Amino acid sequence: LALVFCILYFTNNANKQITIVAGSVEPETPTQSSDATLKALSVDGYSISPAFDKDTTSYTLTIPNGATSVEIKATANDTKAKSISGIGTKTLAEGGNTVAIVVTAEDGTTKTYTFTITRPADTDNTLSNLRVHNASQDFTLTPAFDPLEDEDHFTLTVDNEVSWVNVVGTPT
């Protein structure tokens, strides 16, 4: 039978333990956490797909064209994690946008969560105003342009001496 002694002592604000077995000294070495998972991941004002799970690393989100940025928030599963990069306000272009959120564990292990955020192209092809003119006058369309009507055929009658007109549409 070996004799085992445990000696507890305090240093640098931490409890330490030395185990002595048959006269040998084996200090216990604390191990660093390798947990690089997230406890929470969200985008303010939107629901991500699929619903967050710490073991799922790919997410998608479609936002309206009028939204030009999103706020990504994340919380590490382990409070000892060194960092989370890729969070905060992200400005989005039209089309597909990829955002990588990288969690670095205490021991340097990393895990990447990826968002594919789609901001569709602007499909509003309506006009708020339609003007026909030349250097000397404005012309009247028949029927008169009304942005609230669904009219897309107009007639323009001009005198013979009119050699050109400029048609200007203002997008909505």
Side-chain angles (χ1 to χ4, degrees):
L1 282 180
L3 292 176
V4 177
F5 297 93
C6 289
I7 301 170
L8 296 174
Y9 66 97
F10 186 80
T11 182
N12 293 333
N13 295 326
N15 288 323
K16 301 286 183 173
Q17 175 179 322
I18 295 178
T19 303
I20 301 172
V21 179
S24 65
V25 176
E26 299 172 18
E28 291 187 9
T29 305
T31 57
Q32 292 186 324
S33 173
S34 63
D35 185 355
T37 61
L38 290 175
K39 182 185 343 183
L41 179 62
S42 63
V43 178
D44 273 0
Y46 300 98
S47 296
I48 62 174
S49 178
F52 176 72
D53 179 279
K54 71 178 186 165
D55 297 320
T56 301
T57 57
S58 294
Y59 296 89
T60 60
L61 173 66
T62 299
I63 63 169
N65 175 271
T68 57
S69 66
V70 294
E71 178 78 19
I72 298 175
K73 295 184 176 181
T75 305
N77 192 49
D78 187 341
T79 58
K80 296 177 187 174
K82 287 182 180 178
S83 66
I84 304 173
S85 65
I87 58 176
T89 301
K90 302 297 174 190
T91 301
L92 304 171
E94 286 184 345
N97 297 266
T98 302
V99 179
I101 294 91
V102 180
V103 183
T104 303
E106 181 183 30
D107 72 351
T109 300
T110 62
K111 185 167 190 169
T112 302
Y113 294 83
T114 304
F115 266 113
T116 301
I117 303 173
T118 302
R119 180 177 164 226
D122 187 1
T123 58
D124 184 0
N125 58 1
T126 61
L127 298 175
S128 63
N129 189 31
L130 182 60
R131 179 178 175 218
V132 181
H133 66 97
N134 67 12
S136 61
Q137 73 181 87
D138 281 328
F139 297 99
T140 302
L141 294 171
T142 304
F145 176 77
D146 183 345
L148 300 178
E149 296 293 324
D150 195 21
E151 184 65 49
D152 61 0
H153 291 83
F154 300 92
T155 302
L156 175 65
T157 303
V158 297
D159 295 331
N160 285 340
E161 60 270 1
V162 174
S163 61
W164 63 273
V165 296
N166 190 15
V167 180
V168 179
T170 305
T172 303

